[in-house]
């Protein structure tokens, strides 16, 4: 690798470092979109425990930064986006991958030409040019599949419970955010992190949630089930009851194991990437969305150097939400120090 590459990744603000102590706190919830701006700001500030003035300033700053970056990435990826538009059966995921790749490549500051080929390659996901070399970029997301399954199961449970509430009393309305402890027993001593609920248990669980929500909406002060840790209500006149999964959690642990699993899976297919594209240099981009519990990690504390052998030239972790990237593997340096 030439000096330019080394300088960017070696001395950038996102070089891998020793994990520090501490956790990253995250939360999200649903509000009534029909509120005017003042009411929405007031509700969010109350949920987050910050002043309205501070929240307004942060929102304004974030909007300006996001708009500038979005337009820059849209311009940078325009040729690839046009190719996706003209490619039959292009999925939404492919556009999201393109945005991830575009954001990452612009963040590096490298002199990269990101022009689309005449047709989409099967492998790797994208190809860019740096100097005289064509380099492949294979994209993969790091997701905690166990948490993803639990989240999906719980969201379906809440949707079904909302239907029961609607059928029980059509006059009720509102958005109910339920914050769930996935490890607490929900029914038959099984938690929502577990798998294998019987049909009867699932039906009973829906009714438990529906009964509790009806009590909340009728202001009966019901006792919440053990697995419901907190409830937030937003009025939504004229619309059916909606029960949403609120998340408030500490993003800790598990990142290295998930990342190494993805790297190993991608390495097994490296020969396919290379033979299909004819490229000698291919990078692996691992993305973390940094927002949901099944994908969010505090990368500042969890990042590591990958000390096993990989066929990829570089392996980079990119947190989409913050725009930070971390080089965790460089094949040239790895080989030069005699790793097996």
């Amino acid at each position: 690798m030439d000096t330019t590459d080394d300088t960017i990744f070696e001395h950038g603000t996102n070089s891998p470092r020793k994990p520090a102590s501490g956790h990253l706190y995250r939360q999200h919830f649903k509000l009534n979109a029909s509120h005017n701006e003042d009411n929405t700001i007031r509700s969010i500030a109350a949920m987050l425990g910050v002043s309205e003035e501070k929240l307004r300033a942060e929102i304004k700053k974030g909007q300006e930064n996001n708009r500038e970056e979005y337009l820059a990435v849209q311009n940078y990826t325009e040729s690839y986006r046009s190719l996706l538009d003209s490619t039959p059966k292009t999925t939404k995921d492919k556009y999201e991958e393109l945005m991830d790749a575009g954001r990452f490549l612009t963040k590096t500051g490298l002199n990269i030409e990101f022009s689309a080929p005449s047709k989409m390659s099967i492998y790797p996901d994208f190809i860019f040019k740096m100097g005289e070399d064509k380099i492949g970029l294979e994209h993969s997301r790091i997701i905690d599949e166990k948490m993803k399954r639990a989240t999906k199961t719980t969201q379906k449970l809440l949707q079904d419970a909302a239907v029961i509430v609607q059928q029980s009393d059509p006059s009720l309305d509102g958005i109910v955010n339920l914050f769930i402890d996935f490890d607490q027993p929900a029914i038959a001593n099984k938690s929502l992190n577990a798998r294998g609920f019987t049909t009867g248990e699932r039906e009973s669980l829906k009714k438990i949630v529906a009964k509790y929500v009806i009590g909340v909406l009728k202001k009966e002060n019901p006792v919440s089930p053990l697995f419901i840790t907190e409830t937030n209500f937003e009025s939504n006149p004229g619309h059916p009851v909606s029960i949403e999964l609120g998340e408030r959690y500490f993003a800790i642990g598990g990142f290295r194991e998930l990342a190494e699993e993805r790297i190993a899976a991608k390495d097994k297919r490296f020969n396919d990437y290379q033979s299909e594209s004819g490229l000698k240099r291919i990078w692996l981009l691992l993305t973390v969305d940094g927002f949901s519990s099944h994908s969010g990690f505090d990368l500042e504390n969890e990042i590591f150097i990958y000390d096993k052998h990989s066929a990829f030239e570089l392996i980079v972790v990119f947190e989409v939400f913050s725009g930070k990237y971390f080089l965790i593997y460089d094949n040239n340096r790895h080989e030069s120090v005699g790793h097996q």
Side-chain angles (χ1 to χ4, degrees), residues 273-314:
Y273 305 147
Q274 203 164 52
S275 61
E276 175 67 30
S277 66
L279 298 172
K280 293 182 179 180
R281 302 176 65 180
I282 302 178
W283 297 359
L284 175 59
L285 181 67
L286 302 175
T287 61
V288 178
D289 70 22
F291 182 71
S292 63
S293 59
H294 53 75
S295 187
F297 300 93
D298 181 358
L299 289 184
E300 294 285 340
N301 295 332
E302 298 278 346
I303 206 67
F304 67 99
I305 296 293
Y306 187 64
D307 56 9
K308 300 175 184 178
H309 172 77
S310 173
F312 290 97
E313 181 180 62
L314 297 181

mmCIF file of all heavy atoms in Angstrom, residues 273-314:
data_model
loop_
_atom_site.group_PDB
_atom_site.id
_atom_site.type_symbol
_atom_site.label_atom_id
_atom_site.label_comp_id
_atom_site.label_asym_id
_atom_site.label_seq_id
_atom_site.Cartn_x
_atom_site.Cartn_y
_atom_site.Cartn_z
ATOM 1 N N TYR A 273 -15.420 -13.601 -5.124
ATOM 2 C CA TYR A 273 -15.334 -12.165 -5.379
ATOM 3 C C TYR A 273 -14.214 -11.868 -6.380
ATOM 4 O O TYR A 273 -14.373 -11.065 -7.295
ATOM 5 C CB TYR A 273 -15.069 -11.383 -4.092
ATOM 6 C CG TYR A 273 -16.056 -11.627 -2.975
ATOM 7 C CD1 TYR A 273 -15.653 -11.578 -1.643
ATOM 8 C CD2 TYR A 273 -17.405 -11.883 -3.238
ATOM 9 C CE1 TYR A 273 -16.557 -11.782 -0.616
ATOM 10 C CE2 TYR A 273 -18.307 -12.094 -2.219
ATOM 11 C CZ TYR A 273 -17.869 -12.045 -0.915
ATOM 12 O OH TYR A 273 -18.764 -12.250 0.099
ATOM 13 N N GLN A 274 -13.084 -12.544 -6.183
ATOM 14 C CA GLN A 274 -11.911 -12.269 -7.003
ATOM 15 C C GLN A 274 -12.062 -12.825 -8.422
ATOM 16 O O GLN A 274 -11.756 -12.153 -9.409
ATOM 17 C CB GLN A 274 -10.661 -12.841 -6.334
ATOM 18 C CG GLN A 274 -9.375 -12.172 -6.772
ATOM 19 C CD GLN A 274 -8.232 -12.472 -5.820
ATOM 20 O OE1 GLN A 274 -7.947 -13.636 -5.505
ATOM 21 N NE2 GLN A 274 -7.562 -11.431 -5.357
ATOM 22 N N SER A 275 -12.558 -14.053 -8.530
ATOM 23 C CA SER A 275 -12.689 -14.662 -9.854
ATOM 24 C C SER A 275 -13.768 -13.974 -10.677
ATOM 25 O O SER A 275 -13.637 -13.826 -11.899
ATOM 26 C CB SER A 275 -13.003 -16.157 -9.726
ATOM 27 O OG SER A 275 -14.228 -16.355 -9.045
ATOM 28 N N GLU A 276 -14.835 -13.530 -10.039
ATOM 29 C CA GLU A 276 -15.921 -12.853 -10.744
ATOM 30 C C GLU A 276 -15.484 -11.478 -11.244
ATOM 31 O O GLU A 276 -15.817 -11.070 -12.353
ATOM 32 C CB GLU A 276 -17.137 -12.704 -9.823
ATOM 33 C CG GLU A 276 -18.295 -11.907 -10.409
ATOM 34 C CD GLU A 276 -18.961 -12.609 -11.575
ATOM 35 O OE1 GLU A 276 -18.953 -13.850 -11.601
ATOM 36 O OE2 GLU A 276 -19.494 -11.897 -12.459
ATOM 37 N N SER A 277 -14.719 -10.754 -10.415
ATOM 38 C CA SER A 277 -14.348 -9.381 -10.751
ATOM 39 C C SER A 277 -13.002 -9.256 -11.453
ATOM 40 O O SER A 277 -12.751 -8.282 -12.160
ATOM 41 C CB SER A 277 -14.303 -8.535 -9.476
ATOM 42 O OG SER A 277 -13.245 -8.982 -8.612
ATOM 43 N N GLY A 278 -12.116 -10.241 -11.227
ATOM 44 C CA GLY A 278 -10.771 -10.156 -11.773
ATOM 45 C C GLY A 278 -9.901 -9.153 -11.049
ATOM 46 O O GLY A 278 -8.829 -8.757 -11.537
ATOM 47 N N LEU A 279 -10.320 -8.738 -9.868
ATOM 48 C CA LEU A 279 -9.587 -7.728 -9.106
ATOM 49 C C LEU A 279 -8.595 -8.372 -8.134
ATOM 50 O O LEU A 279 -8.888 -9.401 -7.522
ATOM 51 C CB LEU A 279 -10.556 -6.852 -8.308
ATOM 52 C CG LEU A 279 -11.563 -6.028 -9.120
ATOM 53 C CD1 LEU A 279 -12.584 -5.375 -8.203
ATOM 54 C CD2 LEU A 279 -10.843 -4.971 -9.945
ATOM 55 N N LYS A 280 -7.448 -7.753 -7.980
ATOM 56 C CA LYS A 280 -6.465 -8.224 -7.004
ATOM 57 C C LYS A 280 -6.713 -7.606 -5.633
ATOM 58 O O LYS A 280 -6.456 -8.219 -4.602
ATOM 59 C CB LYS A 280 -5.057 -7.884 -7.479
ATOM 60 C CG LYS A 280 -4.615 -8.629 -8.734
ATOM 61 C CD LYS A 280 -3.184 -8.265 -9.111
ATOM 62 C CE LYS A 280 -2.736 -9.042 -10.347
ATOM 63 N NZ LYS A 280 -1.342 -8.699 -10.744
ATOM 64 N N ARG A 281 -7.190 -6.365 -5.631
ATOM 65 C CA ARG A 281 -7.376 -5.640 -4.369
ATOM 66 C C ARG A 281 -8.866 -5.521 -4.052
ATOM 67 O O ARG A 281 -9.641 -4.953 -4.820
ATOM 68 C CB ARG A 281 -6.755 -4.251 -4.466
ATOM 69 C CG ARG A 281 -5.279 -4.251 -4.808
ATOM 70 C CD ARG A 281 -4.752 -2.830 -4.982
ATOM 71 N NE ARG A 281 -4.794 -2.067 -3.747
ATOM 72 C CZ ARG A 281 -4.389 -0.793 -3.647
ATOM 73 N NH1 ARG A 281 -3.953 -0.150 -4.719
ATOM 74 N NH2 ARG A 281 -4.437 -0.162 -2.483
ATOM 75 N N ILE A 282 -9.263 -6.060 -2.902
ATOM 76 C CA ILE A 282 -10.662 -5.965 -2.468
ATOM 77 C C ILE A 282 -10.682 -5.616 -0.978
ATOM 78 O O ILE A 282 -9.965 -6.214 -0.184
ATOM 79 C CB ILE A 282 -11.426 -7.287 -2.705
ATOM 80 C CG1 ILE A 282 -11.367 -7.679 -4.186
ATOM 81 C CG2 ILE A 282 -12.880 -7.143 -2.264
ATOM 82 C CD1 ILE A 282 -12.046 -9.000 -4.500
ATOM 83 N N TRP A 283 -11.485 -4.629 -0.630
ATOM 84 C CA TRP A 283 -11.653 -4.229 0.768
ATOM 85 C C TRP A 283 -12.988 -4.757 1.284
ATOM 86 O O TRP A 283 -13.952 -4.904 0.530
ATOM 87 C CB TRP A 283 -11.652 -2.714 0.914
ATOM 88 C CG TRP A 283 -10.376 -2.027 0.510
ATOM 89 C CD1 TRP A 283 -9.221 -2.604 0.049
ATOM 90 C CD2 TRP A 283 -10.150 -0.613 0.515
ATOM 91 N NE1 TRP A 283 -8.277 -1.653 -0.222
ATOM 92 C CE2 TRP A 283 -8.820 -0.409 0.054
ATOM 93 C CE3 TRP A 283 -10.909 0.500 0.861
ATOM 94 C CZ2 TRP A 283 -8.258 0.864 -0.059
ATOM 95 C CZ3 TRP A 283 -10.363 1.761 0.751
ATOM 96 C CH2 TRP A 283 -9.051 1.945 0.301
ATOM 97 N N LEU A 284 -13.033 -5.010 2.578
ATOM 98 C CA LEU A 284 -14.278 -5.420 3.231
ATOM 99 C C LEU A 284 -14.737 -4.287 4.138
ATOM 100 O O LEU A 284 -14.005 -3.857 5.030
ATOM 101 C CB LEU A 284 -14.067 -6.702 4.050
ATOM 102 C CG LEU A 284 -15.272 -7.183 4.878
ATOM 103 C CD1 LEU A 284 -16.476 -7.464 3.986
ATOM 104 C CD2 LEU A 284 -14.899 -8.435 5.679
ATOM 105 N N LEU A 285 -15.946 -3.805 3.886
ATOM 106 C CA LEU A 285 -16.524 -2.737 4.695
ATOM 107 C C LEU A 285 -17.622 -3.316 5.573
ATOM 108 O O LEU A 285 -18.651 -3.784 5.085
ATOM 109 C CB LEU A 285 -17.106 -1.645 3.784
ATOM 110 C CG LEU A 285 -17.722 -0.434 4.493
ATOM 111 C CD1 LEU A 285 -16.643 0.364 5.221
ATOM 112 C CD2 LEU A 285 -18.470 0.449 3.496
ATOM 113 N N LEU A 286 -17.408 -3.297 6.882
ATOM 114 C CA LEU A 286 -18.388 -3.777 7.849
ATOM 115 C C LEU A 286 -19.119 -2.571 8.415
ATOM 116 O O LEU A 286 -18.494 -1.692 9.016
ATOM 117 C CB LEU A 286 -17.706 -4.555 8.978
ATOM 118 C CG LEU A 286 -16.871 -5.764 8.558
ATOM 119 C CD1 LEU A 286 -16.160 -6.350 9.780
ATOM 120 C CD2 LEU A 286 -17.740 -6.828 7.901
ATOM 121 N N THR A 287 -20.423 -2.494 8.238
ATOM 122 C CA THR A 287 -21.158 -1.329 8.711
ATOM 123 C C THR A 287 -22.009 -1.653 9.930
ATOM 124 O O THR A 287 -22.546 -2.748 10.075
ATOM 125 C CB THR A 287 -22.071 -0.746 7.614
ATOM 126 O OG1 THR A 287 -23.038 -1.733 7.227
ATOM 127 C CG2 THR A 287 -21.260 -0.336 6.400
ATOM 128 N N VAL A 288 -22.112 -0.676 10.794
ATOM 129 C CA VAL A 288 -22.958 -0.731 11.978
ATOM 130 C C VAL A 288 -23.856 0.492 11.900
ATOM 131 O O VAL A 288 -23.364 1.605 11.692
ATOM 132 C CB VAL A 288 -22.119 -0.677 13.271
ATOM 133 C CG1 VAL A 288 -23.010 -0.682 14.497
ATOM 134 C CG2 VAL A 288 -21.138 -1.830 13.319
ATOM 135 N N ASP A 289 -25.179 0.312 12.038
ATOM 136 C CA ASP A 289 -26.034 1.484 11.885
ATOM 137 C C ASP A 289 -25.998 2.388 13.102
ATOM 138 O O ASP A 289 -26.345 3.554 13.030
ATOM 139 C CB ASP A 289 -27.471 1.099 11.501
ATOM 140 C CG ASP A 289 -28.246 0.415 12.621
ATOM 141 O OD1 ASP A 289 -27.897 0.563 13.798
ATOM 142 O OD2 ASP A 289 -29.235 -0.274 12.310
ATOM 143 N N GLY A 290 -25.591 1.834 14.263
ATOM 144 C CA GLY A 290 -25.424 2.669 15.445
ATOM 145 C C GLY A 290 -26.719 3.144 16.064
ATOM 146 O O GLY A 290 -26.713 3.990 16.944
ATOM 147 N N PHE A 291 -27.876 2.589 15.629
ATOM 148 C CA PHE A 291 -29.147 3.107 16.133
ATOM 149 C C PHE A 291 -29.975 2.050 16.844
ATOM 150 O O PHE A 291 -30.419 2.259 17.963
ATOM 151 C CB PHE A 291 -29.956 3.712 14.981
ATOM 152 C CG PHE A 291 -31.259 4.307 15.403
ATOM 153 C CD1 PHE A 291 -31.288 5.478 16.139
ATOM 154 C CD2 PHE A 291 -32.451 3.693 15.085
ATOM 155 C CE1 PHE A 291 -32.488 6.034 16.550
ATOM 156 C CE2 PHE A 291 -33.662 4.234 15.485
ATOM 157 C CZ PHE A 291 -33.672 5.411 16.215
ATOM 158 N N SER A 292 -30.180 0.909 16.210
ATOM 159 C CA SER A 292 -31.045 -0.101 16.816
ATOM 160 C C SER A 292 -30.273 -1.020 17.746
ATOM 161 O O SER A 292 -29.067 -1.172 17.642
ATOM 162 C CB SER A 292 -31.726 -0.933 15.726
ATOM 163 O OG SER A 292 -30.759 -1.638 14.984
ATOM 164 N N SER A 293 -30.985 -1.634 18.665
ATOM 165 C CA SER A 293 -30.321 -2.490 19.650
ATOM 166 C C SER A 293 -29.666 -3.698 19.023
ATOM 167 O O SER A 293 -28.702 -4.231 19.559
ATOM 168 C CB SER A 293 -31.336 -2.956 20.708
ATOM 169 O OG SER A 293 -32.405 -3.666 20.101
ATOM 170 N N HIS A 294 -30.196 -4.175 17.866
ATOM 171 C CA HIS A 294 -29.588 -5.352 17.258
ATOM 172 C C HIS A 294 -28.401 -4.997 16.385
ATOM 173 O O HIS A 294 -27.767 -5.870 15.819
ATOM 174 C CB HIS A 294 -30.619 -6.168 16.464
ATOM 175 C CG HIS A 294 -31.399 -5.403 15.460
ATOM 176 N ND1 HIS A 294 -30.869 -4.998 14.253
ATOM 177 C CD2 HIS A 294 -32.686 -4.963 15.477
ATOM 178 C CE1 HIS A 294 -31.803 -4.359 13.566
ATOM 179 N NE2 HIS A 294 -32.902 -4.316 14.275
ATOM 180 N N SER A 295 -28.091 -3.701 16.251
ATOM 181 C CA SER A 295 -26.942 -3.323 15.445
ATOM 182 C C SER A 295 -26.086 -2.260 16.109
ATOM 183 O O SER A 295 -25.030 -1.915 15.615
ATOM 184 C CB SER A 295 -27.404 -2.811 14.074
ATOM 185 O OG SER A 295 -26.306 -2.585 13.226
ATOM 186 N N GLY A 296 -26.521 -1.700 17.223
ATOM 187 C CA GLY A 296 -25.805 -0.586 17.824
ATOM 188 C C GLY A 296 -24.753 -1.007 18.831
ATOM 189 O O GLY A 296 -25.012 -1.774 19.743
ATOM 190 N N PHE A 297 -23.559 -0.472 18.675
ATOM 191 C CA PHE A 297 -22.474 -0.730 19.612
ATOM 192 C C PHE A 297 -21.746 0.580 19.878
ATOM 193 O O PHE A 297 -21.745 1.484 19.047
ATOM 194 C CB PHE A 297 -21.461 -1.729 19.038
ATOM 195 C CG PHE A 297 -22.047 -3.067 18.707
ATOM 196 C CD1 PHE A 297 -22.511 -3.339 17.437
ATOM 197 C CD2 PHE A 297 -22.134 -4.053 19.670
ATOM 198 C CE1 PHE A 297 -23.047 -4.570 17.121
ATOM 199 C CE2 PHE A 297 -22.669 -5.291 19.369
ATOM 200 C CZ PHE A 297 -23.132 -5.545 18.089
ATOM 201 N N ASP A 298 -21.106 0.682 21.023
ATOM 202 C CA ASP A 298 -20.229 1.810 21.284
ATOM 203 C C ASP A 298 -18.873 1.451 20.690
ATOM 204 O O ASP A 298 -18.033 0.843 21.356
ATOM 205 C CB ASP A 298 -20.126 2.058 22.793
ATOM 206 C CG ASP A 298 -19.240 3.248 23.103
ATOM 207 O OD1 ASP A 298 -18.682 3.837 22.150
ATOM 208 O OD2 ASP A 298 -19.096 3.580 24.279
ATOM 209 N N LEU A 299 -18.653 1.800 19.442
ATOM 210 C CA LEU A 299 -17.437 1.374 18.752
ATOM 211 C C LEU A 299 -16.172 1.937 19.391
ATOM 212 O O LEU A 299 -15.113 1.326 19.321
ATOM 213 C CB LEU A 299 -17.506 1.787 17.275
ATOM 214 C CG LEU A 299 -18.502 1.019 16.425
ATOM 215 C CD1 LEU A 299 -18.399 1.462 14.974
ATOM 216 C CD2 LEU A 299 -18.264 -0.478 16.516
ATOM 217 N N GLU A 300 -16.286 3.108 20.009
ATOM 218 C CA GLU A 300 -15.104 3.679 20.661
ATOM 219 C C GLU A 300 -14.563 2.731 21.729
ATOM 220 O O GLU A 300 -13.372 2.694 22.008
ATOM 221 C CB GLU A 300 -15.450 5.025 21.297
ATOM 222 C CG GLU A 300 -15.817 6.113 20.299
ATOM 223 C CD GLU A 300 -14.598 6.652 19.563
ATOM 224 O OE1 GLU A 300 -13.476 6.470 20.064
ATOM 225 O OE2 GLU A 300 -14.771 7.255 18.496
ATOM 226 N N ASN A 301 -15.446 1.964 22.341
ATOM 227 C CA ASN A 301 -15.043 1.048 23.402
ATOM 228 C C ASN A 301 -14.851 -0.386 22.914
ATOM 229 O O ASN A 301 -14.191 -1.180 23.578
ATOM 230 C CB ASN A 301 -16.092 1.044 24.526
ATOM 231 C CG ASN A 301 -16.179 2.382 25.221
ATOM 232 O OD1 ASN A 301 -15.202 3.119 25.272
ATOM 233 N ND2 ASN A 301 -17.346 2.703 25.741
ATOM 234 N N GLU A 302 -15.451 -0.726 21.780
ATOM 235 C CA GLU A 302 -15.476 -2.115 21.346
ATOM 236 C C GLU A 302 -14.502 -2.439 20.219
ATOM 237 O O GLU A 302 -14.279 -3.604 19.913
ATOM 238 C CB GLU A 302 -16.897 -2.472 20.871
ATOM 239 C CG GLU A 302 -17.976 -2.359 21.932
ATOM 240 C CD GLU A 302 -18.035 -3.580 22.817
ATOM 241 O OE1 GLU A 302 -17.432 -4.607 22.445
ATOM 242 O OE2 GLU A 302 -18.668 -3.509 23.879
ATOM 243 N N ILE A 303 -13.931 -1.427 19.577
ATOM 244 C CA ILE A 303 -13.120 -1.673 18.387
ATOM 245 C C ILE A 303 -11.867 -2.476 18.728
ATOM 246 O O ILE A 303 -11.356 -2.396 19.841
ATOM 247 C CB ILE A 303 -12.755 -0.331 17.691
ATOM 248 C CG1 ILE A 303 -12.510 -0.552 16.213
ATOM 249 C CG2 ILE A 303 -11.566 0.342 18.372
ATOM 250 C CD1 ILE A 303 -13.741 -0.953 15.450
ATOM 251 N N PHE A 304 -11.382 -3.252 17.775
ATOM 252 C CA PHE A 304 -10.246 -4.130 18.011
ATOM 253 C C PHE A 304 -9.450 -4.287 16.723
ATOM 254 O O PHE A 304 -9.920 -3.951 15.630
ATOM 255 C CB PHE A 304 -10.725 -5.513 18.488
ATOM 256 C CG PHE A 304 -11.487 -6.263 17.422
ATOM 257 C CD1 PHE A 304 -10.867 -7.242 16.653
ATOM 258 C CD2 PHE A 304 -12.832 -5.986 17.181
ATOM 259 C CE1 PHE A 304 -11.567 -7.932 15.664
ATOM 260 C CE2 PHE A 304 -13.537 -6.669 16.189
ATOM 261 C CZ PHE A 304 -12.897 -7.646 15.438
ATOM 262 N N ILE A 305 -8.230 -4.777 16.838
ATOM 263 C CA ILE A 305 -7.423 -5.122 15.678
ATOM 264 C C ILE A 305 -7.650 -6.596 15.362
ATOM 265 O O ILE A 305 -7.516 -7.456 16.237
ATOM 266 C CB ILE A 305 -5.916 -4.886 15.942
ATOM 267 C CG1 ILE A 305 -5.653 -3.394 16.185
ATOM 268 C CG2 ILE A 305 -5.084 -5.390 14.778
ATOM 269 C CD1 ILE A 305 -5.886 -2.521 14.979
ATOM 270 N N TYR A 306 -8.020 -6.908 14.130
ATOM 271 C CA TYR A 306 -8.258 -8.293 13.716
ATOM 272 C C TYR A 306 -6.903 -8.970 13.518
ATOM 273 O O TYR A 306 -6.130 -8.590 12.633
ATOM 274 C CB TYR A 306 -9.063 -8.318 12.423
ATOM 275 C CG TYR A 306 -9.508 -9.689 11.986
ATOM 276 C CD1 TYR A 306 -10.387 -10.432 12.760
ATOM 277 C CD2 TYR A 306 -9.067 -10.234 10.785
ATOM 278 C CE1 TYR A 306 -10.817 -11.688 12.357
ATOM 279 C CE2 TYR A 306 -9.489 -11.491 10.363
ATOM 280 C CZ TYR A 306 -10.369 -12.214 11.164
ATOM 281 O OH TYR A 306 -10.799 -13.464 10.759
ATOM 282 N N ASP A 307 -6.606 -9.975 14.352
ATOM 283 C CA ASP A 307 -5.261 -10.560 14.340
ATOM 284 C C ASP A 307 -5.177 -11.895 13.609
ATOM 285 O O ASP A 307 -4.136 -12.547 13.628
ATOM 286 C CB ASP A 307 -4.737 -10.715 15.773
ATOM 287 C CG ASP A 307 -5.658 -11.534 16.664
ATOM 288 O OD1 ASP A 307 -6.626 -12.134 16.133
ATOM 289 O OD2 ASP A 307 -5.425 -11.570 17.882
ATOM 290 N N LYS A 308 -6.278 -12.299 12.956
ATOM 291 C CA LYS A 308 -6.225 -13.515 12.148
ATOM 292 C C LYS A 308 -5.900 -13.138 10.702
ATOM 293 O O LYS A 308 -5.870 -11.967 10.345
ATOM 294 C CB LYS A 308 -7.555 -14.255 12.224
ATOM 295 C CG LYS A 308 -7.941 -14.678 13.641
ATOM 296 C CD LYS A 308 -9.324 -15.303 13.673
ATOM 297 C CE LYS A 308 -9.735 -15.628 15.103
ATOM 298 N NZ LYS A 308 -11.105 -16.197 15.171
ATOM 299 N N HIS A 309 -5.651 -14.142 9.877
ATOM 300 C CA HIS A 309 -5.381 -13.849 8.462
ATOM 301 C C HIS A 309 -6.680 -13.660 7.698
ATOM 302 O O HIS A 309 -7.668 -14.359 7.916
ATOM 303 C CB HIS A 309 -4.593 -14.987 7.817
ATOM 304 C CG HIS A 309 -4.461 -14.829 6.326
ATOM 305 N ND1 HIS A 309 -3.574 -13.942 5.758
ATOM 306 C CD2 HIS A 309 -5.147 -15.399 5.305
ATOM 307 C CE1 HIS A 309 -3.703 -13.996 4.438
ATOM 308 N NE2 HIS A 309 -4.650 -14.873 4.134
ATOM 309 N N SER A 310 -6.696 -12.683 6.796
ATOM 310 C CA SER A 310 -7.819 -12.478 5.891
ATOM 311 C C SER A 310 -7.283 -12.279 4.481
ATOM 312 O O SER A 310 -6.184 -11.746 4.286
ATOM 313 C CB SER A 310 -8.631 -11.251 6.309
ATOM 314 O OG SER A 310 -9.630 -10.963 5.339
ATOM 315 N N ALA A 311 -8.060 -12.705 3.501
ATOM 316 C CA ALA A 311 -7.670 -12.507 2.106
ATOM 317 C C ALA A 311 -7.953 -11.076 1.637
ATOM 318 O O ALA A 311 -7.425 -10.644 0.621
ATOM 319 C CB ALA A 311 -8.416 -13.497 1.216
ATOM 320 N N PHE A 312 -8.779 -10.339 2.388
ATOM 321 C CA PHE A 312 -9.072 -8.959 2.019
ATOM 322 C C PHE A 312 -7.850 -8.079 2.270
ATOM 323 O O PHE A 312 -7.104 -8.295 3.226
ATOM 324 C CB PHE A 312 -10.268 -8.429 2.811
ATOM 325 C CG PHE A 312 -11.573 -9.046 2.405
ATOM 326 C CD1 PHE A 312 -12.098 -10.114 3.121
ATOM 327 C CD2 PHE A 312 -12.274 -8.571 1.305
ATOM 328 C CE1 PHE A 312 -13.295 -10.703 2.745
ATOM 329 C CE2 PHE A 312 -13.482 -9.151 0.920
ATOM 330 C CZ PHE A 312 -13.994 -10.222 1.634
ATOM 331 N N GLU A 313 -7.670 -7.085 1.430
ATOM 332 C CA GLU A 313 -6.544 -6.174 1.618
ATOM 333 C C GLU A 313 -6.723 -5.322 2.869
ATOM 334 O O GLU A 313 -5.808 -5.181 3.677
ATOM 335 C CB GLU A 313 -6.391 -5.254 0.405
ATOM 336 C CG GLU A 313 -5.205 -4.305 0.536
ATOM 337 C CD GLU A 313 -5.061 -3.404 -0.659
ATOM 338 O OE1 GLU A 313 -5.986 -2.605 -0.928
ATOM 339 O OE2 GLU A 313 -4.033 -3.493 -1.340
ATOM 340 N N LEU A 314 -7.903 -4.759 3.022
ATOM 341 C CA LEU A 314 -8.244 -3.973 4.212
ATOM 342 C C LEU A 314 -9.601 -4.417 4.732
ATOM 343 O O LEU A 314 -10.478 -4.798 3.958
ATOM 344 C CB LEU A 314 -8.330 -2.479 3.887
ATOM 345 C CG LEU A 314 -7.093 -1.726 3.404
ATOM 346 C CD1 LEU A 314 -7.445 -0.261 3.169
ATOM 347 C CD2 LEU A 314 -5.943 -1.845 4.387
#
